[in-house]
Amino acid sequence: MTACKRLQDLRSAGWKFVLFGLIAPNVFALFGILVAHGYSMFLGHPFEIGSYAIIAVLCGSASYIAVPAIQRLAIPEASPTLGLAASLGLTFSYNVTMGIPLYILIATVITTAMPVRLC
């Protein structure tokens, strides 16, 4: 709730910052799905689609708890509200509403296009 109240702080950061907050999770999630599928192929054991979705969410999410605390210590002159607004207000909201269904779709496409051969 605190982060959502601070979403107006994203206006001061600019549209490029907001765009990064929406594109970066998809890039990192795709990387996570590809690495997980490569590992699945290496093992010769197919993973469930839900496993890919969890890995994608973990890769695509910001560190919602650790980053604001560490940021205050490491970079005291940085805006603490901007990091909170971006990670919790923007990226977390995106992952929960649109990211997870998208990651499931991507995982389904990848596992269908490159099926795992059982050993």
Side-chain angles (χ1 to χ4, degrees):
M1 288 175 28
T2 302
C4 288
K5 291 178 186 174
R6 302 288 187 177
L7 278 178
Q8 68 268 13
D9 293 344
L10 293 176
R11 288 187 186 147
S12 65
W15 66 271
K16 291 178 184 177
F17 185 76
V18 172
L19 192 63
F20 176 80
L22 294 174
I23 292 176
N26 297 304
V27 173
F28 298 136
L30 177 62
F31 178 74
I33 291 170
L34 291 172
V35 168
H37 191 61
Y39 185 64
S40 174
M41 293 176 85
F42 173 76
L43 292 177
H45 178 75
F47 293 154
E48 298 291 328
I49 294 297
S51 299
Y52 289 107
I54 291 293
I55 291 169
V57 168
L58 290 173
C59 291
S61 64
S63 179
Y64 304 122
I65 298 170
V67 169
I70 297 299
Q71 176 186 357
R72 287 184 195 151
L73 293 173
I75 313 169
E77 63 274 4
S79 168
T81 59
L82 193 57
L84 275 174
S87 66
L88 286 173
L90 186 64
T91 304
F92 176 77
S93 301
Y94 170 79
N95 269 334
V96 170
T97 57
M98 296 188 303
I100 293 172
L102 180 63
Y103 305 152
I104 290 171
L105 177 66
I106 292 170
T108 303
V109 168
I110 289 174
T111 56
T112 303
M114 299 180 292
V116 174
R117 294 186 185 171
L118 300 173
C119 290

